[in-house]
Amino acid sequence: MRFLTGAAVVLAVASAVGTLPPAEAHTAEGTTEAVAADAATTRAVAADEVASTVTVANTVVYREKSEGYDCFRIPAVVKADNGDLLAFAEGRNGGDRFCGDLGDIDLVVKRSTDDGRTWGPLEVVIEGHGDTKGNPTPIVVPGTGRIVLLSVMQCHRNPACGRIPRVSISEDHGSTWSTPRVLTEQLGFDGAPRWLATGPSHGLVLTRGPHAGRLVAGMSYTIGDRGHGSIVYSDDRGDTWRRGAVGAGGPGLNPQEISLVELVDGRVYAAARNDANSGDKCLDGGRRNRAYAISPDSGETFSAGFAFEEDLVTPVVQGSAVRMSATDRGAGHNRVLFAAPSTCDRRKQLVLHSSFDEGGNWTPKSAGFPVWDQDAAYSDLVPLGASSVGVLYEAGPASNANASIRWSRVTEDDLGAPVCGSGYRVIDSERLADSAGTVYLAYDARTGANCVATTKATSVGRASPTSAFLEVQGGARRTDAGSFGHFAGPVTAVAAGKCVQWGGNVGSATYESRFEHCG
């Protein structure tokens, strides 16, 4: 399932409603001549590499060989209920190699009280005492000062002890923390697995369905020689935990490092690193390095096993996901974000991808937003408001993705227009009658192309008549129309120096503009 931006056609395979995230099947109508006229635009915006210069600002939060540590890795970030940002990481020392995964590792945090512009001093949340304390997975409980922090202990100085899941709790927005409590038995393990990882990246508090208020987080572990991706949950604000949905790896699949997103219909999307391709990172062009599964019951089970997320080309690495907007919360469109390096051969070029159909399709690299154009690795995402997100990510020069952990703020304008993608800016929109959806007109100043998309706000996820059209004065009208679950479009055409007519429908709610936006 792929987005093709800058052309007049989006092709995707429709999936049945149920176990898989709903995908869109789109075919645009237009003449061969009209499509040929946009060839230059297609070439200009469909290249698979990000620009060599990234414009988004960044702030260094942690830097290697500083503050008493060899390096810092495994970022996780949340916004506390008092508005402070907390940036967690592993402060690493004393491994068998520089910045190794096993050593004397503290779990540390820094705080920002000004939306990430500046960061306070480092504080140790859990001291390593010669062993490894890491994999931070924080969850903020809304309306309280409580932050729940899942983590993992692994022995380094002491005799081997497996990987032990633990929980710490703060009642004062992360200023102080309880002593970590072991969760091995609560999560249904006879003993600590030889491999287990909470998150890493933030967990969630569910807001929809019969289990609203439930805390959920990703966890992966290995029993014998088989890897499992899972969801753990708590119904008492993090005091006790249960292991819920479990998906075992199949042929070519070993799901690890799970990041969760709540979908608008209440299901939970689990995004996973596929660790089975370490020996062939560019298998199928890198389209087998990500996996996903869906929980239909608030994290208790998966409706099917993990499957390849072929839209997302990454190396074998952790990735992070977050919801940016939702139609059931008053937004004009649904947008879910995913952040990860974007080349299969090594960890470099961190890109933000968007999904406008709840994970059914993801924008390709060419329509994504580049955050860092050199080497990069792990990341986490946090909503900052209705129109921006924060990204905490490992970044460095060539051959050193772990040189620093940086912070960037990305706005909806940076990400680009709904469905149309990065480079397009919304210049006009019309909310359809009965709040059925919104039609967007966007423009890309680099190419002189307009783009139209219609996003649904009713019957979201269920196929119903939806369309988007764009007509450049003097040219043929281009339309994308059909029974779609989430959106119609993108419909694009070069329109520099000309007037355009645009519009679309969701069911009987229709909008058609006059010829306007000339020039």
Side-chain angles (χ1 to χ4, degrees):
M1 298 172 289
R2 314 293 277 173
F3 279 83
L4 302 177
T5 62
V9 182
V10 171
L11 296 177
V13 179
S15 65
V17 175
T19 61
L20 299 181
E24 306 293 333
H26 294 238
T27 302
E29 300 170 1
T31 66
T32 303
E33 291 79 12
V35 174
D38 269 2
T41 301
T42 303
R43 288 193 298 271
V45 300
D48 194 45
E49 293 297 322
V50 295
S52 60
T53 301
V54 171
T55 58
V56 64
N58 68 82
T59 301
V60 174
V61 183
Y62 297 99
R63 190 187 300 277
E64 67 175 7
K65 302 176 185 176
S66 68
E67 301 181 272
Y69 292 92
D70 292 343
C71 78
F72 299 91
R73 286 216 56 202
I74 321 301
V77 61
V78 290
K79 188 171 186 177
D81 204 65
N82 67 352
D84 291 355
L85 292 167
L86 301 180
F88 296 88
E90 295 180 5
R92 296 185 170 188
N93 274 323
D96 56 357
R97 57 184 174 83
F98 181 80
C99 205
D101 291 342
L102 186 60
D104 183 4
I105 297 177
D106 298 340
L107 200 159
V108 302
V109 70
K110 288 189 178 183
R111 182 184 300 267
S112 174
T113 59
D114 56 9
D115 279 336
R117 287 183 288 275
T118 61
W119 294 86
L122 178 149
E123 299 178 19
V124 175
V125 178
I126 305 174
E127 190 171 351
H129 294 295
D131 293 324
T132 294
K133 313 290 173 63
N135 275 84
T137 307
I139 307 170
V140 173
V141 180
T144 74
R146 175 171 282 209
I147 302 175
V148 179
L149 179 63
L150 298 174
S151 65
V152 173
M153 171 183 172
Q154 183 176 4
C155 293
H156 177 59
R157 182 184 66 183
N158 293 309
C161 60
R163 299 269 295 182
I164 301 170
R166 309 198 301 176
V167 63
S168 307
I169 293 176
S170 172
E171 302 288 5
D172 52 12
H173 310 291
S175 295
T176 61
W177 296 90
S178 67
T179 301
R181 290 186 289 106
V182 171
L183 297 177
T184 306
E185 291 186 6
Q186 278 187 26
L187 296 178
F189 297 107
D190 294 332
R194 64 180 179 85
W195 174 257
L196 180 145
T198 52
S201 75
H202 67 279
L204 303 177
V205 178
L206 300 182
T207 61
R208 300 166 175 86
H211 295 289
R214 170 175 286 180
L215 278 61
V216 294
M219 186 179 74
S220 55
Y221 59 92
T222 298
I223 300 294
D225 293 326
R226 196 170 191 188
H228 301 73
S230 69
I231 297 175
V232 297
Y233 65 89
S234 171
D235 287 322
D236 54 12
R237 304 197 315 160
D239 290 334
T240 61
W241 288 83
R242 297 185 63 181
R243 182 169 28 141
V246 175
L253 267 175
N254 180 12
Q256 291 191 0
E257 297 179 332
I258 312 297
S259 182
L260 305 178
V261 175
E262 184 182 25
L263 304 182
V264 291
D265 61 6
R267 296 179 300 161
V268 178
Y269 177 97
R273 161 182 173 166
N274 178 23
D275 207 52
N277 286 343
S278 295
D280 189 1
K281 294 178 284 189
C282 289
L283 180 67
D284 195 19
R287 296 169 66 239
R288 299 197 176 190
N289 292 337
R290 298 295 310 172
Y292 75 95
I294 301 290
S295 172
D297 50 14
S298 304
E300 296 181 13
T301 65
F302 287 130
S303 53
F306 280 86
F308 295 118
E309 185 63 272
E310 296 185 348
D311 281 0
L312 297 172
V313 173
T314 72
V316 178
V317 71
Q318 179 262 8
S320 53
V322 76
R323 174 171 296 285
M324 186 172 189
S325 59
T327 52
D328 67 337
R329 299 294 189 264
H333 59 277
N334 296 310
R335 191 196 289 260
V336 177
L337 297 177
F338 173 80
S342 58
T343 66
C344 63
D345 60 333
R346 85 167 194 259
R347 297 177 175 184
K348 63 181 182 181
Q349 296 178 349
L350 189 82
V351 169
L352 279 178
H353 303 261
S354 295
S355 174
F356 301 98
D357 58 0
E358 303 297 276
N361 293 273
W362 295 91
T363 53
K365 182 177 182 177
S366 57
F369 181 76
V371 176
W372 184 259
D373 63 355
Q374 301 177 70
D375 280 19
Y378 285 39
S379 65
D380 197 15
L381 295 161
V382 60
L384 298 179
S387 60
S388 64
V389 296
V391 193
L392 188 69
Y393 55 100
E394 298 175 346
S399 302
N400 190 8
N402 308 134
S404 64
I405 294 177
R406 295 173 183 256
W407 167 263
S408 291
R409 178 177 177 270
V410 178
T411 68
E412 191 160 44
D413 281 345
D414 294 326
L415 294 168
V419 183
C420 298
S422 182
Y424 283 99
R425 298 291 178 264
V426 174
I427 60 172
D428 206 345
S429 65
E430 183 71 21
R431 191 162 287 225
L432 297 174
D434 301 321
S435 301
T438 304
V439 187
Y440 295 92
L441 174 67
Y443 179 70
D444 189 335
R446 303 168 303 175
T447 63
N450 280 106
C451 177
V452 177
T454 301
T455 61
K456 296 175 61 177
T458 56
S459 300
V460 176
R462 298 196 300 272
S464 63
T466 310
S467 72
F469 76 83
L470 174 62
E471 183 176 336
V472 180
Q473 199 162 29
R477 175 171 291 194
R478 300 175 176 200
T479 301
D480 183 30
S483 291
F484 304 135
H486 294 84
F487 62 85
V491 182
T492 66
V494 173
K498 299 181 180 179
C499 303
V500 296
Q501 188 175 32
W502 58 284
N505 80 285
V506 175
S508 60
T510 300
Y511 173 72
E512 181 170 329
S513 79
R514 65 185 188 278
F515 279 102
E516 57 185 3
H517 295 288
C518 306

